[in-house]
Amino acid sequence: NAGVTQTPKFRILKIGQSMTLQCTQDMNHNYMYWYRQDPGMGLKLIYYSVGAGITDKGEVPNGYNVSRSTTEDFPLRLELAAPSQTSVYFCASSYSLSGRGNYGYTFGSGTRLTVV
Amino acid sequence: KNEVEQSPQNLTAQEGEFITINCSYSVGISALHWLQQHPGGGIVSLFMLSSGKKKHGRLIATINIQEKHSSLHITASHPRDSAVYICAAGGGADGLTFGKGTHLIIQP
């Protein structure tokens, strides 16, 4: 069981470039999340999804886009990268039972992104 | 918006000591999570609590819903326990609110 798989693990981008961070889970979890972790700060929610075809903004969505075409995949797109997007990004998944509760929180190993 | 505060921010202790990390949150929640992050590593879920107490090996987590407070205890601490411990609150579909983490170092 792979859990939550994120790629790439490291990436350096130039200002203005674009890229997609990939996230796949094999646990049939309905909820998926993208967080960013900055030094000295708690993780912040970028976007989340409660199921295929449904996405919603979190606390810090500006400069990012997501899609959820399947239960397994939840890619995060960075358009026009800026130095402020230098961070460590974590994908996570969890499941609910009949829309109640939130269980089995599982994190990917993270992507360390530097924008120069 | 929920605010999650952890204390202490940094903790250095000797091997074998009993460790306590505290977490307070501002808004009533359905669940409180304790997570562990090793340097340069991923994040692992240790506990999910909605009431009372849970134990796993040398780790114990407690929660007081009325006081909006949780504690993580480590008994007989070991250098391999050195990590960042993160408290996170929430239980809905819109993710968790995270504390800034407690950096724990256990010296041999």
Side-chain angles (χ1 to χ4, degrees), chain A:
Chain A
N1 223 357
V4 177
T5 302
Q6 275 184 249
T7 57
K9 291 193 185 303
F10 303 94
R11 184 72 186 268
I12 298 174
L13 276 184
K14 293 185 178 179
I15 294 171
Q17 287 185 319
S18 300
M19 75 165 294
T20 299
L21 280 66
Q22 301 292 344
C23 177
T24 299
Q25 54 95 5
D26 62 359
M27 299 169 286
N28 202 34
H29 284 177
N30 48 345
Y31 294 168
M32 294 189 74
Y33 309 89
W34 276 105
Y35 294 97
R36 58 177 287 171
Q37 185 180 40
D38 298 310
M41 304 295 292
L43 280 78
K44 303 288 186 188
L45 181 65
I46 304 171
Y47 270 95
Y48 67 99
S49 168
V50 299
I54 306 169
T55 63
D56 212 341
K57 295 178 180 179
E59 187 179 356
V60 290
N62 291 342
Y64 307 94
N65 276 300
V66 294
S67 60
R68 184 102 182 266
S69 55
T70 66
T71 298
E72 295 78 19
D73 299 309
F74 191 42
L76 177 71
R77 178 83 178 161
L78 279 72
E79 304 283 0
L80 299 174
S84 61
Q85 293 177 304
T86 295
S87 189
V88 181
Y89 292 84
F90 287 95
C91 180
S93 71
S94 65
Y95 68 92
S96 68
L97 301 173
S98 302
R100 296 182 65 182
N102 194 333
Y103 305 94
Y105 241 95
T106 305
F107 289 82
S109 57
T111 297
R112 187 172 296 273
L113 175 68
T114 302
V115 181
V116 297

Side-chain angles (χ1 to χ4, degrees), chain B residues 9-24:
Chain B
Q9 283 188 290
N10 299 283
L11 178 57
T12 300
Q14 295 299 121
E15 183 173 356
E17 286 189 36
F18 182 82
I19 303 300
T20 296
I21 300 170
N22 294 301
C23 175
S24 297

